[in-house]
Each structure stands twice: as structure tokens, then as C-alpha cells.
Amino acid sequence: LLQFAQQLMRQRPEGETEEEQTEALRATLETLLETSERILKIGETPRHTLNGFHLKAMSLQTLGQLGDEQATRRYQKELAAAKNSANPALANVAWQMYLGEQLDRWPELSAQDKSDLIKELTDAIEKRGANPVHVKNLSQISDQLASFDPEFAKELVNTTLPLFQKSKDDEVIASAVDLEGLARRLNLPGNEIEIFGTLMDGREVDWKDYRGKVVLVDFWATWCGPCRQEVPNILAMYDAYHEKGFEVLGISLDKSEAKATDYVEENGIPWPSLFPAEKDQRGWNHPFVSYYWITGIATAILVDNDGRVGSKNARNSDVGQQ
């Protein structure tokens, strides 16, 4: 049945006109829907259940997009039931689909819709008990939301994180480390940032020495194209404002000390950069990556002269304006 469904999904709808192709697609989806129900009825293994649900949800969702309102209602009913399933794997898949849909229609959601979503999530976690997949799903959706709705992302993380931290499941607690890092990053604006570690020359950085100055904390790597593009901008800002109290502190995510050192020299970069002495802490294993759950670079954080973060995304002309 699974092989039959895969073959059907690979077929292109027959027909010379768009209308004929749509009708052929609708017929294929109806067959896939019937196939999914047979797979779910057999349900010999968890894989059967998950594949059957995926197939059923996809068929109903696409039929709905073709104008079948009954299919849309069935899809919503099936998704709601799966979210509350006693099968953890099925429930987690359904929640992933549901959260993805909410992201797709985010601009349409009201403040009340967003508030209701947080309550729905927390109620589900408290009812079913926290598991590592919950943490992974929330980490991913919160990180995506942080780029266009940081205030909601912060509220979501701050509300759900305590539910994981109080868990008695060691795996859940270990999985929550990333979410804790994301919480630190989302809560940075207006608060102090913690900086510690070893500089390229082997000295320990003393963050207190930067107090009273405006500092750009710049995550970079030699293999990062956007980072390379930003170097001239940062150099220009440094030349223009350094004598007025502007500093830059780099955090290199390179693995090769030689490459990082050569890059600094070739580009005439005058400011210091953190670079771990321990090889197992280099690259994406850098302590700051997990501490603030940095998921992409170029990333730059602007800190005011009181040591408080003014911007988590200080790029290009943003530095000069701020």
C-alpha cells in the first residue's frame, strides 16, 4: 500500500487542459485518501500509523486547496484528533504540522489568536507531559518567529521553558539546553550580555574593560560570505567612531586557528576576537553558540556603554544609526 501510494504521488496528472488535469489530480487524491485509511486500519507498526496519517492529512489538505470544503473540515478534525492522540509520535507530528500552518498565516493572526496559541501549547504540554520532541518543535518555531515577531517569540519561550525545566525526565532537561540559550538571546535587549573566553592571542577577555564604551559583538567565520561582506562596513564604523568610544569584539566560529589568524591579518582587522584554545569548542561547538543559541551568521549584537544590549541584529548602517 505504501509503495502504491508513492507511485501515485510520482505521477503527473493526465489531461490536455488545466481543468482536466485538476480533475485527474482530484481523483488521485481520493485514491490516496482511501489508501491512507487502509494503512491506518492495518497499523501494524508506528511507521504505518505515521505514514498513514501523513498521507491522509496531505490528501485532505490538497483536496481542500482545490475547493473541497468538506475535505478542509475533515482535515481540521483529523489534525485536532491527532494532536490529542495517546500516541506521542503521532501527536508530535500533528503539532509540527499545526505549528507550521500557524507560521504560514502569522500576519493574519490577531493578538488574541497568538495568546490562545500559547495557552493551547502550554495546556498540551501539561496534559501530555513534556518530551524532547516538544522542546525541539518549540525551539525551531520560536527561532523562526524571532526574525519577524521577536516579542511573541520571547513570550512563547519564557512561558514554555519552565515547563521543561521542572521535568523529571533527564532527556527533556538535556534537550531544553538549546531553548535556554534561545531564551537568553531573546531576552538580551535592554539587559546585560555575558562575555567570557580566550582571545586569539591566548589572553582571557575582561568584559569589564569594555564598560563605558559602545561595543559591537560580532560573530564571524572565514567561510561565511555575509561576514566577509560586512568587514568593510565594520571597519568604516570602527575608523569613524573608535576615538569616540566605539569598540568591536569578534567571536570566531572557525575551526582552524591559522585560517582565522591569516584572515584577520589580510583584512587589517584591528579589534580582538575570541577563539577557543580547546579544539572541541571551535566552530559551531563554540560556547557562545549554545549559550545564546546562535543558529546563523553573520550575527552582530550592539551593546551600549552601560553594558546593555541595544540591538541583536546590528548590521550595515544600523551600527552608525544606533
Side-chain angles (χ1 to χ4, degrees):
L1 285 171
L2 288 171
Q3 290 173 355
F4 172 67
Q6 290 167 356
Q7 290 171 358
L8 276 182
M9 287 189 288
R10 284 195 293 265
Q11 292 179 1
R12 297 185 63 180
E14 297 180 352
E16 296 182 1
T17 67
E18 184 177 344
E19 186 176 277
E20 289 175 342
Q21 291 174 357
T22 300
E23 285 305 312
L25 175 58
R26 185 175 284 109
T28 298
L29 289 167
E30 291 288 357
T31 303
L32 286 171
L33 182 58
E34 181 181 350
T35 305
S36 72
E37 289 173 339
R38 288 190 181 188
I39 294 171
L40 287 168
K41 186 175 181 180
I42 297 170
E44 291 181 346
T45 69
R47 174 172 165 266
H48 291 155
T49 301
L50 292 180
N51 285 335
F53 173 73
H54 268 298
L55 188 60
K56 188 172 189 178
M58 181 275 295
S59 302
L60 289 171
Q61 189 178 41
T62 310
L63 282 168
Q65 292 168 353
L66 293 177
D68 188 334
E69 295 182 0
Q70 183 179 0
T72 296
R73 289 192 291 271
R74 282 188 64 191
Y75 168 74
Q76 292 170 344
K77 184 178 179 180
E78 292 286 346
L79 189 62
K83 282 162 55 185
N84 292 306
S85 171
N87 180 334
L90 179 58
N92 287 328
V93 167
W95 270 102
Q96 267 187 314
M97 294 175 65
Y98 175 68
L99 291 174
E101 288 180 1
Q102 300 311 303
L103 277 180
D104 290 341
R105 55 188 292 263
W106 199 258
E108 305 168 16
L109 300 184
S110 66
Q112 186 60 51
D113 290 333
K114 296 174 184 179
S115 178
D116 290 344
L117 177 59
I118 289 181
K119 186 176 188 309
E120 187 179 9
L121 279 165
T122 53
D123 287 349
I125 294 169
E126 290 177 335
K127 178 181 178 181
R128 293 168 48 212
N131 68 56
V133 180
H134 281 141
V135 186
K136 181 180 178 182
N137 288 346
L138 276 167
S139 297
Q140 290 175 343
I141 189 174
S142 300
D143 193 34
Q144 292 178 60
L145 280 169
S147 62
F148 55 88
D149 194 344
E151 286 304 312
F152 179 82
K154 181 167 70 172
E155 182 182 357
L156 178 59
V157 171
N158 290 342
T159 302
T160 55
L161 182 57
L163 300 178
F164 302 125
Q165 290 174 325
K166 70 180 183 181
S167 173
K168 296 181 180 179
D169 186 329
D170 291 341
E171 193 175 354
V172 170
I173 294 173
S175 299
V177 170
D178 287 343
L179 199 60
E180 290 171 352
L182 179 57
R184 292 189 194 98
R185 172 156 56 90
L186 292 174
N187 285 288
L188 276 176
N191 294 309
E192 294 186 11
I193 186 173
E194 295 182 52
I195 302 289
F196 54 86
T198 306
L199 297 169
M200 277 186 171
D201 61 10
R203 294 179 297 116
E204 289 293 315
V205 67
D206 189 344
W207 186 231
K208 293 179 182 178
D209 288 346
Y210 288 87
R211 187 56 58 89
K213 299 178 181 180
V214 174
V215 187
L216 184 71
V217 180
D218 182 47
F219 291 80
W220 64 275
T222 58
W223 44 260
C224 169
C227 301
R228 287 178 174 270
Q229 293 173 4
E230 276 297 307
V231 170
N233 297 323
I234 301 176
L235 280 169
M237 292 298 104
Y238 187 85
D239 290 341
Y241 299 108
H242 179 59
E243 292 185 359
K244 299 178 181 179
F246 176 66
E247 296 284 354
V248 180
L249 178 63
I251 299 178
S252 173
L253 299 191
D254 274 286
K255 290 186 176 181
S256 168
E257 185 174 4
K259 286 184 178 180
T261 302
D262 290 346
Y263 179 81
V264 167
E265 292 177 355
E266 290 168 4
N267 287 276
I269 296 174
W271 54 82
S273 283
L274 292 175
F275 191 89
E278 299 81 3
K279 291 185 177 180
D280 61 351
Q281 292 186 359
R282 296 176 184 175
W284 288 105
N285 291 326
H286 196 291
F288 270 92
V289 168
S290 58
Y291 194 73
Y292 286 112
W293 208 49
I294 304 298
T295 55
I297 55 174
T299 293
I301 299 170
L302 191 63
V303 183
D304 67 19
N305 49 18
D306 289 323
R308 300 183 185 280
V309 172
S311 171
K312 296 191 279 76
N313 188 30
R315 301 316 259 163
N316 300 317
S317 58
D318 291 348
V319 179
Q321 293 171 359
Q322 295 179 49

